Amino acid sequence: MRATVMFGAGDVRIENIPDATIIEPSDAVVAVSRACICGSDLWPYKTMEHSDSGRRMGHEAIGVVEVVGADVRAVKVGDLVVLPFAYSDGTCVFCHEGLPTSCVHGGFFGTGVMDGAQAEAMRVPQADGTLFVLPVGKDDALMPSLLTLSDVMGTGHHAAVAAKVAPGKTVAVVGDGAVGLCGVIAARRLGAEQIIILGRHAGRIALAREFGATDVVSRRGEEAVERVRALTGGFGAHSVLECVGLEQSMLTAIGIARPGGAIGRVGVPQDESMPASLPAFYNNITVSGGPAPVRAYIEELLPDILEGRIEPGRVFDKVARLDEVPDGYRAMNERDAIKVMVEI
Ligand SMILES: [Zn+2]
């Protein structure tokens, strides 16, 4: 079968590899019909050291269950399923607490150890706890939005939950990538009154406005902080969604948070230490967030997609076939595309 393998920075290839198979009785093999390229795939695309064996890529997918192991009960061959970016058993203490990304039998796809989703098929561990059976057909027009339940919509929602977004609150979203845009959807969905998007790309800003952003700040650094303060009566935002993960974006997030406010961070931090610790302390700012437990959010978000209340699939502005995936990485890395959907 064919799969996406990264061999080093800027070196993504479609390779012929051995077919995905069942290894553990709790596994399933899923034939991938749609996958994505993620902003987080761009970090290794920029920095990965050369590897002769390479790393399987991709962690977002919709597909059809092709084979199930002997212990699998909740999914069956032929089911159309959405795959969260992390696998989980659905039964341990953390899964019961709504944090499947900390599952004691869990892990992450497309990290080098596990199969990746930018492929014709993949092995899915803990199939019963991981896969979510979709109540639609494979060609349903809602497919792009359903695909965002794998990661970006659940991640934007997690940022909003961690930032304590609630009706009537003022929200600021740092980052105009797919997660930031889904964060705007999530903030509106949770009843925010004012939603300020920080970003500079005209097409992304336009989409953010359609998703519910009420204000746009296109400046950076200290100027951005001043502008957000001016828009919020001088106080800052109750809730800040940090959807980038760089030192500068975290500095901005802390700078624009209102005293007593909360930051939900979902951009994978690229630094060991957290910047602006002192202002965060003196302003009593809660800094929360982490890898989104997207599996736990699917049931809550799915009805809004099925009934057309939210359309997160609009973040896909480029479609690629599997053999076009390397060009998809280039397009996202050069910010020619917000997010690439892969049709397999
Ligand atoms: Zn678990």
Side-chain angles (χ1 to χ4, degrees):
M1 66 172 215
R2 293 182 305 147
T4 304
V5 183
M6 187 180 289
F7 290 91
D11 185 4
V12 175
R13 304 179 213 164
I14 307 305
E15 297 280 288
N16 279 306
I17 63 164
D19 286 348
T21 54
I22 301 286
I23 296 175
E24 301 290 336
S26 50
D27 291 350
V29 170
V30 170
V32 178
S33 47
R34 290 177 197 238
C36 315
I37 302 174
C38 183
S40 64
D41 295 335
L42 297 179
W43 296 121
Y45 188 74
K46 292 180 206 288
T47 60
M48 183 179 158
E49 303 254 336
H50 175 81
S51 151
D52 286 333
S53 54
R55 164 178 161 181
R56 290 276 309 272
M57 299 300 296
H59 53 258
E60 301 151 274
I62 281 177
V64 177
V65 176
E66 218 169 37
V67 194
V68 294
D71 292 348
V72 174
R73 298 285 176 272
V75 297
K76 59 184 191 304
V77 172
D79 281 346
L80 182 72
V81 291
V82 60
L83 170 106
F85 65 79
Y87 59 89
S88 55
D89 59 13
T91 57
C92 79
V93 59
F94 294 112
C95 286
H96 280 302
E97 289 174 6
L99 201 59
T101 43
S102 293
C103 177
V104 298
H105 299 116
F108 296 89
F109 294 109
T111 53
V113 184
M114 301 306 305
D115 285 5
Q118 294 157 9
E120 289 179 318
M122 62 190 299
R123 176 175 84 90
V124 177
Q126 307 293 344
D128 278 343
T130 304
L131 296 170
F132 189 100
V133 180
L134 291 170
V136 295
K138 193 175 162 189
D139 297 320
D140 196 284
L142 296 172
M143 210 54 71
S145 285
L146 294 168
L147 182 56
T148 68
L149 294 172
S150 267
D151 187 345
V152 287
M153 186 59 225
T155 297
H157 177 68
H158 187 56
V161 170
K164 303 179 184 175
V165 175
K169 299 282 186 184
T170 291
V171 177
V173 179
V174 180
D176 60 4
V179 171
L181 292 168
C182 287
V184 172
I185 295 175
R188 184 189 199 179
R189 187 180 166 277
L190 292 172
E193 184 174 302
Q194 183 182 20
I195 304 172
I196 305 164
I197 177 95
L198 283 78
R200 300 192 300 168
H201 187 285
R204 298 170 189 225
I205 294 305
L207 192 52
R209 283 199 183 275
E210 290 182 42
F211 283 162
T214 55
D215 299 276
V216 175
V217 171
S218 297
R219 305 280 170 77
R220 279 188 160 177
E222 200 49 45
E223 281 187 301
V225 171
E226 284 170 22
R227 188 76 194 113
V228 173
R229 289 188 176 277
L231 287 166
T232 54
F235 294 138
H238 295 106
S239 302
V240 181
L241 283 54
E242 200 287 290
C243 305
V244 180
L246 293 173
E247 182 183 18
Q248 181 58 54
S249 57
M250 194 63 196
L251 275 172
T252 300
I254 290 170
I256 63 179
R258 179 187 171 108
I263 295 170
R265 56 181 189 148
V266 291
V268 182
Q270 298 303 301
D271 297 293
E272 282 289 317
S273 59
M274 197 182 295
S277 172
L278 275 179
F281 176 84
Y282 280 106
N283 288 320
N284 273 283
I285 291 166
T286 302
V287 178
S288 185
V294 298
R295 179 64 177 78
Y297 293 141
I298 293 176
E299 269 162 86
E300 178 182 347
L301 298 171
L302 181 64
D304 281 32
I305 291 176
L306 294 178
E307 290 153 31
R309 285 188 292 275
I310 60 173
E311 292 183 278
R314 294 178 65 197
V315 298
F316 294 110
D317 57 348
K318 185 177 174 70
V319 177
R321 295 189 312 269
L322 186 57
D323 59 8
E324 296 168 333
V325 163
D327 186 58
Y329 273 82
R330 180 208 55 76
M332 277 184 63
N333 192 48
E334 293 172 8
R335 288 173 70 87
D336 282 346
I338 302 174
K339 192 167 178 70
V340 175
M341 178 164 64
V342 185
E343 290 186 343
I344 294 163

